[in-house]
Amino acid sequence: MTTTCSAPGKIYLFGEHAVVYGEPAIACAVELRTRVIAKKSNEITISSDIGTTKLDFDMHPYVSSAIRKLGSPDVFIEITSEIPVGSGLGSSAAVTIATLSAINIEFGLGYEKEELAKMGHEIEKEVQGAASPTDTFVSTFGGVVEIPSRKRLNLLDCDVVIGNTNKGASPKKTAKLVQQVARLKEEHPDIINPIIKTIGSFAKQGELMVSQKNYTSLGKLMNVNHGLLDALGVSTMELSALVYAARNAGAYGAKLTGAGGGGCMVALSDSPREVAEAIEKAGGRAIITRATPEGVIQI
Ligand code: MEV
């Protein structure tokens, strides 16, 4: 038997960084997926774009940790992905969840999705040192989700355009940026704490706008959220250039997504081609995608 599972990446509509301090956020699974094939074998093999290894915690840290978490069964794993790696779109969560899920089914281990999401979060923490459960939760269950309540909101009806700066994002960078914000917060609590609270308040307002499909207002709030992330020092010139290009091309709104410092921005739009073209002209790599209700699935 062979089992293939796929799990989605995600964007943040609101709330990255503030979510680290317990503020609410809204994340959204997108139709960019990582596929993992698992097949019983007589040894452990992991094959991906970057090479073929045995358990290898340097080259394949997430997949190796997922195999170990499930008792190190002899399995052949093959990974293919549409999610740019280490760019704030949850690529590591998607490969972790798809691997856990494919091995779970292939070996009949009987874990529930909730348990796989929890294991996925533990693996991200082991590999990265720190991680919020957002990425692994959204990759497991899909949809538009408020964090930490896990409330499922309406799916977005408009297109999602992602702009990749192709620069500088990685799990290590995430940890560095989270620390950088923590330092700023310690140095200037009176100024930074209200900014973090305000970022948290977007999720409540945004929830209403998502349910009313009021993308004009949702986009305006995304723009304000980007301004506040810039104030926290996590945007870059390249990210902001793509954000402005998307807005000028008629997007409802645009902001960086994930930890920042490079990586990706996201725009909502009903004219995705124009927005994608503007992003490419401004030096980014554009991807047109949609929100997806589907988390990890067997295919
Ligand atoms: C990174 O994708 C989002 C941050 O809020 C960190 C986290 O939530 O783990 C910056």
Side-chain angles (χ1 to χ4, degrees), residues 81-251:
S81 187
E82 302 160 353
I83 311 172
V85 173
S87 59
L89 299 177
S91 62
S92 55
V95 77
T96 305
I97 294 299
T99 303
L100 288 169
S101 190
I103 296 175
N104 185 42
I105 295 169
E106 177 72 6
F107 288 85
L109 303 179
Y111 290 106
E112 300 289 336
K113 274 190 178 178
E114 193 71 48
E115 293 170 289
L116 297 179
K118 191 160 167 272
M119 285 182 208
H121 181 217
E122 285 164 7
I123 290 166
E124 284 219 309
K125 278 194 293 192
E126 280 160 28
V127 175
Q128 293 166 203
S132 78
T134 312
D135 290 17
T136 37
F137 182 81
V138 174
S139 194
T140 306
F141 293 102
V144 182
V145 186
E146 193 184 79
I147 304 290
S149 68
R150 299 180 166 194
K151 184 171 172 188
R152 231 177 142 84
L153 311 181
N154 275 354
L155 207 62
L156 298 176
D157 271 346
C158 60
D159 284 291
V160 173
V161 187
I162 289 165
N164 191 348
T165 61
N166 287 316
K167 280 207 180 144
S170 73
K172 278 206 180 94
K173 185 102 179 219
T174 300
K176 211 181 119 219
L177 286 157
V178 168
Q179 280 162 20
Q180 187 183 306
V181 172
R183 260 201 313 279
L184 193 63
K185 190 171 170 313
E186 268 166 39
E187 284 163 12
H188 302 288
D190 294 350
I191 294 166
I192 302 302
N193 288 340
I195 293 179
I196 287 172
K197 275 258 167 282
T198 304
I199 293 178
S201 71
F202 293 138
K204 265 283 151 272
Q205 304 237 353
E207 183 188 328
L208 196 69
M209 291 160 189
V210 170
S211 68
Q212 292 169 341
K213 300 185 188 290
N214 182 351
Y215 302 130
T216 305
S217 297
L218 193 68
K220 278 188 191 153
L221 280 195
M222 287 170 71
N223 292 346
V224 182
N225 194 162
H226 180 77
L228 294 183
L229 287 165
D230 200 6
L232 293 180
V234 299
S235 189
T236 62
M237 216 159 72
E238 288 87 357
L239 272 171
S240 287
L242 304 191
V243 162
Y244 282 105
R247 287 182 200 161
N248 290 339

